[in-house]
Each structure stands twice: as structure tokens, then as C-alpha cells.
Amino acid sequence: MSLSNDEFFAELRMLVDAWCKRRSLRPLSRILGPYLAFNGMTDGWAELAKGLESIRAMDRHELVSSEHRAIDELLRAVDRAISR
């Protein structure tokens, strides 16, 4: 499935909201900077990818299974955005 930019950021906002509600500070600390500083350029997409990859690698224990799947899907979408 290919996500539009709107769908991508809606999914990312849902993750951020869920982590805020659970007070999952580690994943939040890795994604909020790249998310808030996103500039729409390749470097902005790359920073989002780094944040998501870091969450996947270091914070797996704080994620529920649907969040694992969402992060994988978001990373695929970032790869496609960078490859355009």
C-alpha cells in the first residue's frame, strides 16, 4: 500500500498521540524533532527515517504490535519519498 503525504502524517500523528497518552517518552524523544522540523525536502524525509528506525531498533518494548506495523509502513513510505 502506498501512502500519500497526508496519510503518512495522519498515521505519524496517531503514533505521536498514542505515545503521548501512554507517556512513552523514549519514542517521542526520537521522532518529535524530525517531525516538527520537517521541511518537505529529502533531508527532512531522511531525518524522519532516522527517527523511525531508531524507535524500531531501540524502543520495540514500548510499542504495541499495531505500532510496529505502522512504523514499518511509514519507513517504506519514506523510502519511496526519498527515491522519487
Side-chain angles (χ1 to χ4, degrees), residues 11-26:
E11 184 71 26
L12 185 54
R13 275 191 301 276
M14 286 192 305
L15 288 172
V16 168
D17 288 345
W19 296 332
C20 284
K21 287 177 187 168
R22 290 197 318 262
R23 293 191 171 102
S24 294
L25 299 179
R26 293 180 61 92

Side-chain angles (χ1 to χ4, degrees), residues 39-72:
N39 62 10
M41 306 298 282
T42 303
D43 62 325
W45 286 107
E47 290 300 315
L48 282 174
K50 283 184 204 174
L52 291 167
E53 288 167 350
S54 178
I55 292 166
R56 185 171 64 180
M58 301 182 79
D59 302 321
R60 292 189 74 75
H61 63 283
E62 293 194 35
L63 307 177
V64 297
S65 60
S66 62
E67 293 170 346
H68 289 278
R69 288 188 300 275
I71 288 173
D72 289 342

Side-chain angles (χ1 to χ4, degrees), residues 68-84:
H68 289 278
R69 288 188 300 275
I71 288 173
D72 289 342
E73 185 176 357
L74 291 175
L75 282 167
R76 284 189 296 274
V78 168
D79 285 342
R80 283 188 300 274
I82 290 173
S83 300
R84 290 187 225 167

